[in-house]
């Protein structure tokens, strides 16, 4: 089974004065984008880096849920925060890291050490991680409450 998703960006103007709108093909979102907001204060706009962070956090959260299920374990709730960091230099913008911070609350059926090991191993099964790997550093931090 294969599937695909589409986002269309309509852009008007130059890189510094122009602006665009990123529209999900599903209708799930319409987001404003500008280059100055990409590298400066976002002021309500988004950026490719933020969209990558959203994709990475969402994918990893799903992989964690699947991992817990395969181990016969559960969590009352998990929180995944992904922070994508980029450097802007003379050669342009380079995305350098994607850090996944996982907080698990109310674990059942698995001890803390086993969960932490499974969570770090699960990053290697995340399709977004696998797409990014080799292009940037991926970090995982696990907290259990």
């Amino acid at each position: 089974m294969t599937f695909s998703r589409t986002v269309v960006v309509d852009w008007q103007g130059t890189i510094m004065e122009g602006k665009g709108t990123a529209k999900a093909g599903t209708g799930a979102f319409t987001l404003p984008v500008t280059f100055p907001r990409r590298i400066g204060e976002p002021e309500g706009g988004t950026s490719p880096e933020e969209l990558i962070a959203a994709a990475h956090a969402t994918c990893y959260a799903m992989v964690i849920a699947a991992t817990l299920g395969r181990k016969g374990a559960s969590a009352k709730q998990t929180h995944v925060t992904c922070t994508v960091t980029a450097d802007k230099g003379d050669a342009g913008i380079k995305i350098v890291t994607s850090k996944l911070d996982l907080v698990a609350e109310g674990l059942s059926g698995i001890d803390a050490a086993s969960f932490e090991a499974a969570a770090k191993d699960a990053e290697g099964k995340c399709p977004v991680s696998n797409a990014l790997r080799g292009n940037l550093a991926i970090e995982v931090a696990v907290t259990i409450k």
Side-chain angles (χ1 to χ4, degrees):
M1 177 179 127
T2 61
F3 60 94
S4 62
R5 300 294 183 264
T6 302
V7 171
V8 174
V9 176
D10 295 318
W11 187 269
Q12 295 177 328
T14 65
I15 187 69
M16 293 307 292
E17 290 83 30
K19 62 184 177 179
T21 305
K23 299 174 191 170
T26 61
F29 61 80
T30 298
L31 303 169
V33 292
T34 71
F35 186 76
R37 289 181 182 169
R38 178 182 186 179
I39 61 173
E41 290 301 315
E43 299 176 12
T46 194
S47 68
E49 293 76 17
E50 186 172 52
L51 295 171
I52 291 169
H56 204 182
T58 302
C59 187
Y60 184 64
M62 291 176 180
V63 169
I64 290 299
T67 297
L68 283 167
R70 278 192 302 278
K71 294 189 172 295
S74 64
K76 286 185 183 172
Q77 190 163 338
T78 59
H79 307 271
V80 178
T81 303
C82 181
T83 303
V84 169
T85 302
D87 286 333
K88 183 181 177 301
D90 293 337
I93 296 172
K94 178 167 176 48
I95 299 171
V96 293
T97 62
S98 184
K99 182 177 182 194
L100 297 162
D101 287 300
L102 169 62
V103 177
E105 297 178 16
L107 284 176
S108 176
I110 190 169
D111 63 66
S114 297
F115 176 74
E116 183 170 354
K120 290 186 176 180
D121 183 58
E123 183 275 321
K125 295 174 178 72
C126 172
V128 173
S129 286
N130 292 334
L132 297 172
R133 195 176 320 328
N135 296 302
L136 53 78
I138 299 171
E139 302 170 12
V140 178
V142 179
T143 302
I144 300 165
K145 291 185 175 182

